[in-house]
């Protein structure tokens, strides 16, 4: 019997010693005090592994054999409603029977209280079977988990600190409905004229005299948008006390910018006792897409649709980011699943296809392709586990707060931190900040590299198949069609690279002393560390930090050129006191994707180094990854430090001359 968990030793490592499941189980079970919960970490870990094996078998036996059928039949749209064909209906009914939709939810609302990391691991295996099924699965448990988390953030959830029981939560009924499989939801952000630029959103939320909210506007490209529950971002005007027109950077002047956005929960329809449906928001169409045919991508219109405000007015952008973090993690694991499928398909074909007297997997170029795919997947999975662990621990330490009994926290098996620190011995608040910092650095790197590698590996898979890869019957072309959306949705690759670059450089500007110490430390370790692997990883870190230093120096030089055109009295303030990432980081943003690729290779190398230090059997995997990463990092470093500087300098000078600051002393 096929099983996508049992046939994957690297994935099995992470359901064993590769992840600090003791900490995850302790946090999720609130210290093992729940009367219906697990008694200890060992009991919890046995359950987690059993779930992974069950989902691995389900993905291999109940989903993967039907991926061509799912792709061919797609989602049907008629009379304003979308319906799944029988095969998809059957798959999701079986998921409901397995309690997969409530996996991460508290027992009091129909869940089994498992960690989010287990949910993401399941997502990888489902994506290996079919990405459409994985995506729609995510908008069940993912939306229900989002409802619970947002309720906790706004303070409308109560947990009994003595037992860890969920006493109440704002959307308990909705969460139960989703956990049962009877409903699902979506995240509605994109509009016809606003995608990544959220400050350009036009959907409006208005409040009547009785305090009730209504939504008016159109949303497009909404994954699983045929569902009942919708998180909708809408413009409401700023919260009381917020200065109108003061958005973020260039957002200022467009309404209230990002501060003008609020988040709402909207029901798209109501089903009556007799089975009739009354639509509160119209389902305009289901998009005809290149790939992901089994996933409904919808356009909807809200016309004075009743809505519930989530959190406070004006908090929509910040709350959306909290939900989007999980979505981007999900895409990272989805990408790994697709990569795994591409590797398995290519490897199987290459082992059978003969050319020039031998199977093509024995030809050097093809063997190199397969080896590169294999070790890149191992690196991506290490980064994904690292990001997901830290994001979950950091968020739950913040959310559960006083409900957790006292405990000193470990670093979660993720050493090799950039600043040399970990979370050992910290209290919950300090540990939460540490874990969220680790997650914030890793998340855009995972989303960027995972999505780009999925396209690359699907392309390799098709190429290895040769002419057969271009034919539908072999499945390689479907993988490429499915992969191409991953660098686009849930934040484009370019947006991820901008986030990573701005965060990295912003930290340097905020604390240059710590950066210089890190630079010196990396150089010292690259020369003096006793372990050869540690020296090699330190050398990569040094190259990354040196590239960052070069970018900062270039930005300072551009600022100085700009300052010379202004009164001398304003130079100090101009150079040191006024940094707008959108305006002043131009040279850095030119290199954002190069820097992101470099940072991702370094981060993966650090994580694999930490693994090899605890588990010597992982050492050869680090060696293989470094053999690929070292030339990539050197190339990216050379690109950043040797191109574009003079061109950007002239461009910035020309812009300053064409558009002088009318208020140089403001």
């Amino acid at each position: 019997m096929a099983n996508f968990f049992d046939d994957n030793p690297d994935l099995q490592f992470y359901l064993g010693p590769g992840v600090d499941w003791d900490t995850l189980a302790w946090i999720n079970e609130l210290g093992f005090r729940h009367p219906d919960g697990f008694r200890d970490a060992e009991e919890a870990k046995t359950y987690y592994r059993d779930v992974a094996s069950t989902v691995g078998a389900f993905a291999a036996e109940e989903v993967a054999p039907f991926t061509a059928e799912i792709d061919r039949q797609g989602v049907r749209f008629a009379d304003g409603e979308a319906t799944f064909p029988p095969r998809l209906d059957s798959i999701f009914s079986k998921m409901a029977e397995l309690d997969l939709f409530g996996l991460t939810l508290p027992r009091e609302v129909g869940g089994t209280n498992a960690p989010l990391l287990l949910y993401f691991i399941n997502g990888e295996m489902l994506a290996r079977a079919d990405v459409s099924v994985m995506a729609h699965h995510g908008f069940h448990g993912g939306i229900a988990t989002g409802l619970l988390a947002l309720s906790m953030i706004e303070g409308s959830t109560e947990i009994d600190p003595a037992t860890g029981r969920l006493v109440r939560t704002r959307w308990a009924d909705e969460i139960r409905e989703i956990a049962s499989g009877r409903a699902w939801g979506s995240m509605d952000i994109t509009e016809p004229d606003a995608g990544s630029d959220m400050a350009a959103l036009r959907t409006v939320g208005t409040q009547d005299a009785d305090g009730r909210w209504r939504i008016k506007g159109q949303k497009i490209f909404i994954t699983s948008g045929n569902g009942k529950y919708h998180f909708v971002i809408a413009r409401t005007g700023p919260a009381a006390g917020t200065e109108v027109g003061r958005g973020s950077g260039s957002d200022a002047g467009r309404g209230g910018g990002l501060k003008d956005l609020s988040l709402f929960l909207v029901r798209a329809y109501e089903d009556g006792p007799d089975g009739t449906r009354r639509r509160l928001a119209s389902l305009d169409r289901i998009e005809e897409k290149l790939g992901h045919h089994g996933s409904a991508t919808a356009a909807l219109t809200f016309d004075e649709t009743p809505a519930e405000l989530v959190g406070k007015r004006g908090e929509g952008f910040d709350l959306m980011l909290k939900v989007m973090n999980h979505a981007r993690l999900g895409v990272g694991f989805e990408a790994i699943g697709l990569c795994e499928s591409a590797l398995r398909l290519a490897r199987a074909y290459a082992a059978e296809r003969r050319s020039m007297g031998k199977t093509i997997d024995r030809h050097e170029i093809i063997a190199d392709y397969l080896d590169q795919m294999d070790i890149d997947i191992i690196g991506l999975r290490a980064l994904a586990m690292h990001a997901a662990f830290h994001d979950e621990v950091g968020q739950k330490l913040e959310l559960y707060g006083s409900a957790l009994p006292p405990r000193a926290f470990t670093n979660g098996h993720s050493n090799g931190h950039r600043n040399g620190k970990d979370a050992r011995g910290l209290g919950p608040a300090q540990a939460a900040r540490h874990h969220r910092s680790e997650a914030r650095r890793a998340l855009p790197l995972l989303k960027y590299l995972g999505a780009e590698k999925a396209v690359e590996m699907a392309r390799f898979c098709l190429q290895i198949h040769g002419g057969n890869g271009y034919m539908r019957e072999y499945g390689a072309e479907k993988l490429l069609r499915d992969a191409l959306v991953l660098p686009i949705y849930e934040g484009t690759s370019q947006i991820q690279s901008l986030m990573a670059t701005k965060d990295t450089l912003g930290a340097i500007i905020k604390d240059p002393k710590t950066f210089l110490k890190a630079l010196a430390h990396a150089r010292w370790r690259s020369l003096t560390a006793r372990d050869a692997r540690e020296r090699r990883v330190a050398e990569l870190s040094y190259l990354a930090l040196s590239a960052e230093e070069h970018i900062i120096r270039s930005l300072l030089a551009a600022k100085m050129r700009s300052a010379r055109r202004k009164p001398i009295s304003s130079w100090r303030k101009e150079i040191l006191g006024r940094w707008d990432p959108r305006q002043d980081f131009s040279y850095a943003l030119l290199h954002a994707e190069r820097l992101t690729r470099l940072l991702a290779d370094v981060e993966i190398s650090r994580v694999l180094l930490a693994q090899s230090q605890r588990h010597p059997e992982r050492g050869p995997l680090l060696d293989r990854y470094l053999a690929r990463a070292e030339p990539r990092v050197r190339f990216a470093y050379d690109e950043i430090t040797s191109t574009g500087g003079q061109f950007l300098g002239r461009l910035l000078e020309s812009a300053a001359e064409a558009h002088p600051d009318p208020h140089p002393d403001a």
Side-chain angles (χ1 to χ4, degrees):
M1 182 177 178
N3 188 308
F4 286 174
F5 177 70
D6 293 348
D7 72 357
N8 194 327
D10 191 56
L11 191 57
Q12 291 176 42
F13 170 74
Y14 292 104
L15 262 294
V19 167
D20 182 6
W21 292 102
D22 287 12
T23 292
L24 281 175
W26 185 86
I27 292 174
N28 273 275
E29 296 295 328
L30 296 177
F32 302 106
R33 294 171 297 159
H34 196 294
D36 299 323
F38 299 114
R39 291 169 295 179
D40 53 38
E42 291 306 314
E43 186 179 10
K45 289 188 289 184
T46 298
Y47 171 74
Y48 302 157
R49 193 175 182 91
D50 287 345
V51 169
S53 184
T54 298
V55 174
F58 175 79
E61 295 288 333
E62 303 288 344
V63 182
F66 308 107
T67 184
E69 178 184 336
I70 292 168
D71 182 58
R72 186 171 58 253
Q73 293 185 346
V75 179
R76 300 163 184 167
F77 180 68
D79 300 323
E81 294 292 344
T83 56
F84 290 134
R87 180 67 64 190
L88 277 175
D89 259 342
S90 173
I91 287 171
F92 291 116
S93 294
K94 290 175 182 177
M95 284 186 179
E97 293 172 8
L98 292 172
D99 292 327
L100 295 186
F101 299 139
L103 183 69
T104 62
L105 301 171
R107 297 174 179 91
E108 290 79 8
V109 287
T112 56
N113 207 46
L116 281 165
L117 181 53
L118 181 59
Y119 160 84
F120 288 125
I121 289 171
N122 290 346
E124 178 192 326
M125 293 186 286
L126 291 171
R128 177 179 160 188
D130 187 86
V131 290
S132 295
V133 170
M134 180 272 182
H136 188 55
H137 158 265
F139 284 95
H140 288 77
I143 293 297
T145 302
L147 285 169
L148 178 64
L150 291 168
S151 175
M152 296 180 77
I153 290 168
E154 70 174 17
S156 57
T157 290
E158 180 184 351
I159 296 174
D160 181 357
T163 65
R165 281 184 177 275
L166 179 68
V167 177
R168 64 179 179 89
T169 190
R170 179 177 173 184
W171 294 290
D173 292 340
E174 291 83 352
I175 292 171
R176 288 190 187 94
E177 187 178 5
I178 294 173
S180 72
R182 300 192 309 274
W184 61 88
S186 62
M187 187 75 194
D188 301 12
I189 300 174
T190 305
E191 299 180 5
D193 297 310
S196 299
D197 185 5
M198 290 187 62
L201 293 175
R202 296 182 179 180
T203 295
V204 174
T206 56
Q207 191 174 26
D208 63 22
D210 296 323
R212 292 171 297 194
W213 286 93
R214 294 186 179 275
I215 301 295
K216 187 175 182 63
Q218 186 182 31
K219 298 290 183 177
I220 62 171
F221 303 157
I222 307 304
T223 305
S224 295
N226 56 326
K228 183 175 183 178
Y229 297 107
H230 296 247
F231 286 128
V232 179
I233 289 281
R235 190 166 299 286
T236 59
T242 303
E243 192 173 344
V244 177
R246 295 296 299 271
S248 175
S250 63
D251 298 322
R254 286 187 282 177
L258 299 178
K259 298 180 185 298
D260 195 10
L261 301 175
S262 299
L263 182 65
F264 295 89
L265 177 66
V266 181
R267 290 158 184 78
Y269 59 81
E270 293 176 344
D271 287 335
D274 59 353
T276 58
R277 175 166 296 181
R278 183 172 74 93
R279 277 222 158 256
L280 306 174
S282 65
L283 187 62
D284 301 333
R285 65 182 180 274
I286 298 297
E287 304 290 355
E288 297 288 337
K289 307 189 297 295
L290 179 67
H292 283 244
H293 290 165
S295 171
T297 302
L300 301 102
T301 296
F302 301 91
D303 189 5
E304 301 299 326
T305 305
E308 294 181 50
L309 179 67
V310 180
K312 297 177 181 177
R313 184 173 181 161
E315 292 182 338
F317 181 73
D318 291 337
L319 293 174
M320 180 276 301
L321 287 180
K322 296 180 185 297
V323 178
M324 287 288 286
N325 277 348
H326 288 166
R328 288 168 178 168
L329 272 171
V331 175
F333 280 87
E334 178 183 3
I336 295 168
L338 192 147
C339 289
E340 188 75 46
S341 183
L343 172 61
R344 303 280 179 144
L345 191 63
R347 185 183 280 160
Y349 181 84
E352 293 181 356
R353 173 68 167 161
R354 296 187 65 82
S355 176
M356 303 177 191
K358 57 185 176 182
T359 56
I360 63 173
D361 61 347
R362 296 176 60 194
H363 288 275
E364 290 79 5
I365 293 176
I366 303 302
D368 184 56
Y369 281 173
L370 294 172
D371 180 74
Q372 180 179 334
M373 292 166 75
D374 183 55
I375 194 59
D376 279 349
I377 290 170
I378 288 169
L380 280 172
R381 188 176 287 118
L383 180 61
M385 297 294 176
H386 174 82
F389 174 86
H390 285 292
D391 184 72
E392 179 168 6
V393 173
Q395 184 182 74
K396 288 183 174 177
L397 288 178
E398 288 180 354
L399 292 178
Y400 292 160
S402 59
L404 287 165
R407 184 180 193 258
F409 292 89
T410 69
N411 63 349
H413 294 186
S414 295
N415 294 332
H417 304 310
R418 177 179 180 137
N419 58 10
K421 298 178 181 179
D422 59 43
R424 284 175 287 196
L426 299 180
Q430 293 172 301
R433 287 193 293 273
H434 161 79
H435 287 293
R436 294 308 294 268
S437 175
E438 289 293 313
R440 183 181 177 93
R441 185 171 73 246
L443 265 170
L445 305 181
L446 170 65
K447 172 59 170 69
Y448 178 90
L449 191 64
E452 296 296 323
K453 285 292 180 181
V455 175
E456 177 185 290
M457 292 190 202
R459 170 73 176 79
F460 280 167
C461 178
L462 190 149
Q463 187 69 27
I464 289 169
H465 279 74
N468 286 331
Y470 203 64
M471 306 302 155
R472 285 183 178 266
E473 65 179 293
Y474 285 83
E477 58 84 31
K478 176 186 180 297
L479 289 177
L480 184 55
R481 286 189 287 109
D482 285 342
L484 287 170
V485 76
L486 298 183
I488 298 173
Y489 71 3
E490 305 298 355
T492 66
S493 288
Q494 291 68 40
I495 290 293
Q496 304 309 308
S497 66
L498 295 180
M499 289 172 59
T501 298
K502 289 177 181 179
D503 275 2
T504 298
L505 301 182
I508 297 172
I509 292 169
K510 183 179 179 180
D511 189 359
K513 187 175 181 180
T514 296
F515 169 77
L516 292 174
K517 285 182 179 179
L519 181 67
H521 180 74
R523 183 58 175 162
W524 177 252
R525 296 303 295 166
S526 72
L527 298 172
T528 64
R530 293 185 179 181
D531 180 69
R533 289 169 176 150
E534 187 176 349
R535 290 197 300 273
R536 292 171 72 185
V537 174
E539 176 65 21
L540 295 188
S541 297
Y542 178 69
L543 285 172
L545 293 165
S546 297
E548 294 165 22
E549 181 188 31
H550 173 83
I551 291 171
I552 288 292
R553 288 180 180 274
S554 299
L555 298 183
L556 285 169
K559 289 282 280 185
M560 291 180 69
R561 287 193 293 269
S562 175
R564 290 193 188 107
R565 292 170 172 78
K566 299 176 182 180
I568 294 177
S569 60
S570 70
W571 283 13
R572 179 180 176 85
K573 183 177 180 180
E574 183 68 25
I575 295 170
L576 300 179
R578 297 179 57 190
W579 283 89
D580 180 352
R582 293 180 182 240
Q583 179 178 342
D584 297 325
F585 281 15
S586 294
Y587 176 75
L589 302 186
L590 171 73
H591 290 296
E593 289 198 73
R594 299 181 182 96
L595 182 62
T596 300
R597 290 193 294 269
L598 190 160
L599 293 174
D601 267 332
V602 172
E603 190 73 5
I604 290 170
S605 298
R606 287 194 190 108
V607 175
L608 290 175
L609 174 63
Q611 290 180 3
S612 71
Q613 291 170 337
R614 292 189 305 275
H615 310 287
E617 70 275 12
R618 303 285 288 181
L621 299 178
L622 172 61
D623 295 337
R624 287 175 60 201
Y625 194 84
L626 288 173
R628 301 280 182 178
E630 285 167 334
R632 289 194 299 244
V633 169
R634 284 193 292 268
F635 181 72
Y637 170 81
D638 287 342
E639 280 191 304
I640 291 170
T641 57
S642 63
T643 63
Q646 292 182 350
F647 168 75
L648 248 298
R650 289 195 298 270
L651 187 64
L652 290 171
E653 288 172 1
S654 298
E657 291 172 357
H659 305 285
D661 188 347
H663 306 291
D665 296 318

